[in-house]
Amino acid sequence: MTTFFKPRTDVAQPDPSASAVPTHRAKASRRTRGPRSRGPVRHHLELGAVLLGTAVLYIWGLGASGWANAFYSAAAQAGSQDWTAWFFGSSDAANSITVDKPPAALWITGLSVRLFGLSSWSILVPQALMGVATAWILYLAIRRAALPATGSARLAHRAGLLAAAVMALTPVATLMFRFNNPDALLVLLMTAAGYAVVRSIQEQKLRWLVFAGVFLGFGFLAKQLQVLLVVPGFALAYLVSAHPKPGRRVLHLLAAGGAMVASAGWWIAAVELVPANLRPYIGGSQNNSILELTFGYNGLGRLNGDETGSVGGGGNGWGTPGLLRMFGTEFGSQIAWLIPSALILGGALLWLGRRAPRTDSVRASVMVWGSWLLVTGLVFSYMQGIIHPYYSVALAPGIAGLVGLGGVLLWQRRAQMPVALLLGAAVFVAGATAFSLLGRTPTFLPWLRWVVLVGAVLLAAAVALSGRWTPAWLTRTTAGLAVAVSLAGPLAYSVATAAQPHTGAIVSAGPAATAGFGPGFGRNAVPQGLRRPTAQQGAGGQGFAGGGAQGGGMGGLLGATTPSSELVSALRADASDYTWAAAVVGSNNAAGYQLATGLPVMPVGGFNGTDPSPTLAQFQQLVADGKIHYFIGGRLMQGNGGSDASSEIAAWVAANYQAQTIGGTTVYELPG
């Protein structure tokens, strides 16, 4: 096979394809065979150490985060209690409304809660294991691409290890693989799809391309259209680099596309075909339609800001759209540490392989991981709708893949001065970027940014000159220190992230002083006017905000309230006589009461309180039928259009039922 790089011939390289000791060497001495036989064992141990370290980073102290995102924790609880709720992704076990995403991530946590009981660990450990699996799959993908180019199993192994380490230590990855949002499963499935595409190109096997389609389809069931951002690059890599003739390549891509549609479409079809009265309302939509949710609130609305029923787009604290958004105050410390280095290394690989044959596997890999970074990064940078800093975890595999592959392949050819200079530049910009990002938290390890900067300058020069050195120990030391300096900033932020609990709907990585939403906002802070009150603060029974109503604060939009023991006891009293122990505006409000009581609580209006679920007439009928015990007072911020049903329901309850205070919270008992 002709490859991107021709293996070096100036040093002896082991045969990566050899699976056994050749016959003519069968009688070699134990001393001769020893180092060769220990190589694979050492590789397994090193990989195990990286993955074990990743597991420790992602799992240690998880219980401190409590329910983490209570919105999804309550849905996992519901899915563990009722199979219909599990299948559709309902917020409550009585199936009033779904979460505003497809349920693939909830299938995993729901099963975990069903098997191990409801706890922080049963909800969060699966996310951490997804992170470990993502690092492992990325290792396999990069090692596979580097092996034919280096002609060395040892160097290919190191490329994979570097990619896995970069992935594991990206701060936003540490955050999201310790949290229960759908992003963890999405990133795992997209990484698996990238691996399958690379393997399909190398092995000339259609089944791996079909597997990629299946992974992407299930990724759609995790977070809908976001998964499609990697599809153009994957398709282009296969069209350019795969071995079959052009016509067959197109047919193969159509087959993979069919697999993707089938693996996502079966659930979409089930939701559309099941009568609305036999399933929960589709949260996040205004017409009880999964297609509307897909192409509206979670689709084009994220791009153009037209998200009916949301709390606002790019102008409401989510960062200013533009080319440098990923380096800005909101996103930079989450993901930007190695983006410049990744772009340098990826560009260098393409330049060095400009005369490589069409089927070169390294070029194909650069296209897979590079297009992932560029397309997703540009879309995130310019989208006008709601975008949170933690979305940037989707960039981590692309960055890690380019750094792992480019770092090792360029290091192997550092004797060429242009290559050495590019490699040195990658080290320098990694240090300079870290210096800038660490400067945004001046009280956090203030000495580290200077160590990183000075080290980067010295090591960039050393790397640029390392091709002229002969002592092996010196080159190894230089390589190790260059990696350490490049990863010091992300490592420090990842450790700081793991050391702190994260709760609520909006979280960000880094030390507590990190500005998550612009100047003046803390790590888990939310924009001014979006503060969540305590149960007592949100208890007034007035100012319920629906679509166009005026609301005082965010109520339980961004985090669940913690009810008093008195209120929990009241909700549990005679609970078997009712379908819902209570109803309250907003899914996060409902989640707090539901997790505390273990009983279904109706989230009126869905996540933002702006969905027409239920309508006033429907709510009145449920009350008349004796299916709802209490209505709990609370407030939500004014939404961006959407239904006024939650405001109408709140006003009707306040006008027709006597308010009472239980444990500091205003409630209304609703006798049928």
Side-chain angles (χ1 to χ4, degrees), residues 249-553:
R249 276 178 260 156
V250 172
L251 291 176
H252 289 176
L253 286 174
L254 291 175
M260 180 175 67
V261 171
S263 60
W266 67 273
W267 185 83
I268 301 295
V271 174
E272 287 293 297
L273 294 175
V274 172
N277 64 330
L278 298 180
R279 60 164 174 79
Y281 186 93
I282 302 302
S285 72
Q286 295 297 308
N287 297 309
N288 197 10
S289 168
I290 186 63
L291 295 179
E292 178 199 343
L293 177 66
T294 299
F295 296 105
Y297 182 79
N298 283 338
L300 296 178
R302 298 291 171 129
L303 298 179
N304 59 24
D306 183 14
E307 299 168 289
T308 301
S310 77
V311 293
N316 278 0
W318 320 126
T320 303
L323 182 61
L324 299 180
R325 188 189 225 174
M326 293 299 105
F327 296 88
T329 306
E330 299 83 7
F331 290 84
S333 61
Q334 312 298 298
I335 193 65
W337 304 85
L338 293 174
I339 288 179
S341 298
L343 294 176
I344 289 173
L345 294 171
L349 289 178
L350 292 179
W351 175 69
L352 291 172
R354 62 194 181 280
R355 295 188 180 89
R358 179 184 62 80
T359 56
D360 182 75
S361 61
V362 172
R363 181 195 286 121
S365 295
V366 173
M367 293 175 68
V368 166
W369 308 111
S371 65
W372 181 328
L373 172 58
L374 289 174
V375 174
T376 304
L378 288 173
V379 170
F380 283 179
S381 295
Y382 285 100
M383 59 190 288
Q384 302 289 321
I386 291 178
I387 176 172
H388 301 305
Y390 64 77
Y391 287 10
S392 61
V393 68
L395 299 174
I399 296 169
L402 291 178
V403 170
L405 189 62
V408 170
L409 292 186
L410 266 63
W411 177 259
Q412 189 187 25
R413 284 151 184 82
R414 65 192 182 280
Q416 304 173 34
M417 183 53 69
V419 175
L421 291 175
L422 287 170
L423 194 56
V427 174
F428 173 74
V429 298
T433 303
F435 179 81
S436 174
L437 295 176
L438 289 168
R440 298 177 183 179
T441 52
T443 61
F444 174 71
L445 302 179
W447 53 268
L448 180 60
R449 64 193 300 248
W450 295 102
V451 171
V452 169
L453 181 62
V454 173
V457 171
L458 296 177
L459 287 165
V463 166
L465 298 174
S466 61
R468 303 293 185 264
W469 296 342
T470 54
W473 68 268
L474 190 55
T475 58
R476 288 195 298 267
T477 301
T478 300
L481 290 175
V483 171
V485 164
S486 299
L487 294 181
L491 171 62
Y493 262 55
S494 288
V495 172
T497 299
Q500 301 174 52
H502 293 82
T503 59
I506 304 177
V507 291
S508 58
T514 301
F517 294 90
F521 297 108
R523 175 179 55 86
N524 282 332
V526 296
Q528 189 66 34
L530 306 187
R531 307 288 185 186
R532 69 170 186 264
T534 63
Q536 289 79 5
Q537 291 172 321
Q542 58 199 357
F544 295 93
Q550 295 297 318

